[in-house]
Amino acid sequence: MKGSLLDRIVAGDSIAVARAISQVEDNAEGAAELMKQIFPRTGRGLIIGITGAPGAGKSTLVDKLAAHYRKAGERVGIVAVDPSSPFSGGAILGDRIRMQTLALDKGVFIRSMATRGNLGGLARATVEAVAILDAAGFDKIIVETVGVGQDEIEIAKTADVCVVVLVPGMGDDVQTMKAGIMEIGDVLVINKADRDGVLRTEKELEALLSMSGRTDDWQPLIVKTVAIENKGIGDLAAAIRRSHQFQQNADGGTERKRAIARWRILELLRERLLADTMNSDSVAQKLDRLAEQVASKQRDPYSAVDELIKRQ
Ligand SMILES: Nc1nc2c(ncn2[C@@H]2O[C@H](COP(=O)(O)OP(=O)(O)O)[C@@H](O)[C@H]2O)c(=O)[nH]1
Ligand SMILES: [Mg+2]
């Protein structure tokens, strides 16, 4: 007889890992119970967030970084978050199909996450997928997110080391992403360094970093890569390692862990309160009716919420 799902996850069984991730994604019965048991078994893997604008080369970089870790004999879990993906969770994204060598490697687990339903929970499900991979003994867990939406920024912030990927000559993007980058980027990558304008982008980033309002004393590192040519990947891995070591030595690491823990509790609370309200009878119809009334200004949204949370 096969062991329990938990035993199989802890033993590193990919099928069990995939099943568990589907359960947390669906918020299936028993998922919370499973996560309670997973939690104490986490904390060994290094969680690396990779974020940046679409087309910056994140997926290419993730592939190369994963291959780098594999060469050192480490097991690598990859979670790609793409809310715009038309695929349901578990499907392999188009750009993942390129990763044929990695996909055949048993030491690599690849999964893409997508939202289901309209109650959110993508960030929560992603963080749980990472925890499952951690409990399954993956040494490195890489989370790729598109650095645009709030959910994605939140997810990136839960990583041990957050890598922001930029490309040369994206001056405007640097401006738009400025606030977010300074806050979350532990390592800044200038990918596509085979293009013009690398030096200028580097100077711009250095200028931005000098005005950084970070709460810890970490000086974010700038790394140049050409992902398609596998250049700079060793430097990136070294920068990630240094950032992680810094946190382990500094008090900042504890503060960061607390902030992540606080966020996770609030996410679960938000989701549970919302689910509790939405689960009661006839709420869906009530919501439709209230939305109509608010839209036509017969009613304000505040009193609509009062109405929804009023217990029958
Ligand atoms: N010139 C150049 N192209 C790159 C580099 N890295 C990635 N690309 C290309 O940029 C495009 C977007 O890459 P992808 O990894 O899918 O970006 P993502 O959307 O950020 O995940 C692809 O056509 C890649 O081949 C690079 O270092 N130099
Ligand atoms: Mg991608």
Side-chain angles (χ1 to χ4, degrees):
M1 204 187 105
K2 284 184 174 173
S4 70
L5 187 59
L6 180 71
D7 291 341
R8 290 169 55 206
I9 292 167
V10 173
D13 175 347
S14 302
I15 296 171
V17 167
R19 186 164 305 156
I21 295 176
S22 296
Q23 289 186 3
V24 299
E25 222 171 20
D26 292 343
N27 223 340
E29 180 116 20
E33 227 23 72
L34 177 67
M35 286 314 300
K36 282 182 192 170
Q37 292 174 308
I38 290 281
F39 187 78
R41 293 170 168 87
T42 60
R44 281 176 304 162
L46 176 65
I47 304 161
I48 303 163
I50 306 248
T51 192
K58 298 179 297 299
S59 298
T60 317
L61 213 51
V62 169
D63 298 0
K64 297 299 194 300
L65 191 61
H68 175 91
Y69 290 135
R70 282 303 291 146
K71 244 184 246 156
E74 295 187 293
R75 290 167 68 223
V76 184
I78 300 173
V79 181
V81 183
D82 190 351
S84 63
S85 169
F87 298 100
S88 57
I92 291 177
L93 288 174
D95 66 353
R96 293 276 149 219
I97 295 166
R98 291 199 324 257
M99 307 178 63
Q100 289 180 356
T101 46
L102 284 183
L104 293 172
D105 181 347
K106 282 207 176 345
V108 177
F109 180 94
I110 304 170
R111 173 69 176 232
S112 62
M113 311 286 295
T115 23
R116 296 179 174 189
N118 55 3
L119 295 185
L122 178 64
R124 191 264 310 149
T126 304
V127 170
E128 288 177 352
V130 169
I132 291 165
L133 287 164
D134 190 351
F138 285 88
D139 302 288
K140 296 285 190 293
I141 301 144
I142 308 178
V143 186
E144 176 187 338
T145 58
V146 181
V148 280
Q150 192 54 40
D151 257 356
E152 291 94 308
I153 303 270
E154 295 291 350
I155 293 166
K157 275 162 79 172
T158 62
D160 293 317
V161 177
C162 179
V163 177
V164 174
V165 184
L166 303 152
V167 298
M170 51 190 289
D172 290 346
D173 289 337
V174 169
Q175 292 308 318
T176 22
M177 290 177 76
K178 190 159 74 175
I181 291 172
M182 292 308 111
E183 207 186 303
I184 69 172
D186 301 305
V187 175
L188 307 181
V189 171
I190 305 176
N191 188 43
K192 305 198 185 186
D194 52 325
R195 294 194 176 167
D196 292 339
V198 179
L199 204 62
R200 205 183 131 201
T201 303
E202 195 175 359
K203 291 275 169 271
E204 279 172 0
L205 286 179
E206 277 166 1
L208 287 176
L209 286 177
S210 67
M211 325 185 270
S212 146
R214 281 186 79 100
T215 48
D216 57 12
D217 294 328
W218 173 247
Q219 291 289 320
L221 299 171
I222 300 176
V223 178
K224 286 165 275 188
T225 59
V226 183
I228 41 164
E229 293 170 21
N230 206 21
K231 284 186 185 156
I233 307 302
D235 294 343
L236 172 56
I240 290 168
R241 195 171 51 239
R242 275 181 58 193
S243 170
H244 186 230
Q245 275 166 356
F246 172 84
Q247 287 174 52
Q248 284 183 316
N249 298 335
D251 286 349
T254 327
E255 198 34 61
R256 182 168 174 146
K257 285 205 170 71
R258 279 200 201 119
I260 294 170
R262 194 176 300 126
W263 174 82
R264 287 183 72 174
I265 295 169
L266 284 174
E267 275 296 298
L268 286 174
L269 179 64
R270 212 188 318 270
E271 198 172 343
R272 194 183 296 183
L273 291 176
L274 186 58
D276 283 353
T277 307
M278 297 307 286
N279 279 341
S280 63
D281 289 342
S282 70
V283 165
Q285 289 126 290
K286 231 191 224 172
L287 178 62
D288 282 345
R289 181 172 49 79
L290 290 168
E292 212 176 290
Q293 292 172 351
V294 172
S296 61
K297 299 233 188 290
Q298 287 168 270
R299 177 174 205 139
D300 70 276
Y302 300 88
S303 72
V305 171
D306 289 342
E307 170 90 26
L308 278 177
I309 60 177
K310 197 172 64 193
R311 302 276 174 213
Q312 288 90 343

